[in-house]
Amino acid sequence: LCHQNVPTCSDGSVVSLTEDDSSHYLFYSGCTDGIVRRYDARVDKAMVQSLAAPGHGRLVRMTLRPVDGTIVCGYNKAVCIWDLRKNGVVKTVKSHDSGVSMFDAHRYAPLFACATRNNCITVYNLDGQVLGTTRYHDGFLGQPIARVNDIVFHPQQAYMSAAFANKMLSVYSND
């Protein structure tokens, strides 16, 4: 049962959606054109704000961080941290030269992770410092890491899971 159709106002397709925890009427879409759009389902013209970060390439995924009012956006060339109260980018972190193929940010812990096309996963803090990297043959007993299909953080704990093309799943923690 469809409750409401909302035009995206974008030439690109939607690759990421997130809802604002403080209001069930507000949600954000990230599109392949690199623009993050905020929508308010209570108004006729649902799109109420656009956040553009030119020059960073295609948006991979975004995560709304309710703890500090930011959206962390992973593009294929950089990671941008948007402060929704200031309506602008407060931090840009250059990512891997080979480009980002997968991205996720933790909703509460100050962490984000980028996976690259050359089978590398790097975890950063929100200041852009590298906290750890997993590369080919870094796994248990030198187990090869295949192409990364997805990475996701646990919603409450500082755990990250990665899904690989060789039918393997890995869970990472700082313990």
Side-chain angles (χ1 to χ4, degrees):
L1 178 65
C2 179
H3 176 71
Q4 182 178 6
N5 285 318
V6 177
T8 63
C9 304
S10 172
D11 292 333
S13 60
V14 175
V15 293
S16 189
L17 286 170
T18 188
E19 180 184 21
D20 191 330
D21 291 344
S22 65
S23 170
H24 296 292
Y25 299 105
L26 298 176
F27 60 98
Y28 299 84
S29 73
C31 300
T32 55
D33 62 4
I35 298 175
V36 174
R37 292 169 176 84
R38 184 175 119 187
Y39 302 89
D40 187 336
R42 298 170 291 187
V43 298
D44 288 337
K45 303 262 187 207
M47 190 187 74
V48 294
Q49 183 180 25
S50 291
L51 307 171
H56 295 302
R58 181 183 183 276
L59 182 78
V60 177
R61 185 181 287 165
M62 64 181 182
T63 302
L64 177 67
R65 291 180 38 83
V67 69
D68 59 6
T70 60
I71 292 183
V72 184
C73 299
Y75 295 90
N76 65 345
K77 297 180 182 178
V79 173
C80 292
I81 301 171
W82 292 90
D83 188 329
L84 298 174
R85 298 160 298 194
K86 296 178 182 176
N87 196 25
V89 175
V90 292
K91 184 82 170 173
T92 301
V93 178
K94 186 181 179 321
S95 58
H96 299 274
D97 292 333
S98 62
V100 173
S101 60
M102 279 292 133
F103 169 83
D104 197 23
H106 199 283
R107 291 176 53 88
Y108 299 101
L111 304 170
F112 66 88
C114 298
T116 66
R117 290 168 182 69
N118 62 357
N119 306 334
C120 175
I121 301 172
T122 304
V123 178
Y124 301 83
N125 65 17
L126 290 182
D127 291 326
Q129 294 176 312
V130 174
L131 301 178
T133 300
T134 301
R135 291 187 176 92
Y136 194 75
H137 291 293
D138 274 357
F140 179 69
L141 296 177
Q143 175 181 341
I145 296 174
R147 184 185 77 244
V148 180
N149 287 341
D150 200 8
I151 52 177
V152 64
F153 280 99
H154 185 278
Q156 304 296 324
Q157 304 296 321
Y159 295 119
M160 183 189 71
S161 299
F164 301 97
N166 63 352
K167 304 175 188 168
M168 295 293 294
L169 294 170
S170 295
V171 178
Y172 300 93
S173 74
N174 196 20
D175 297 339

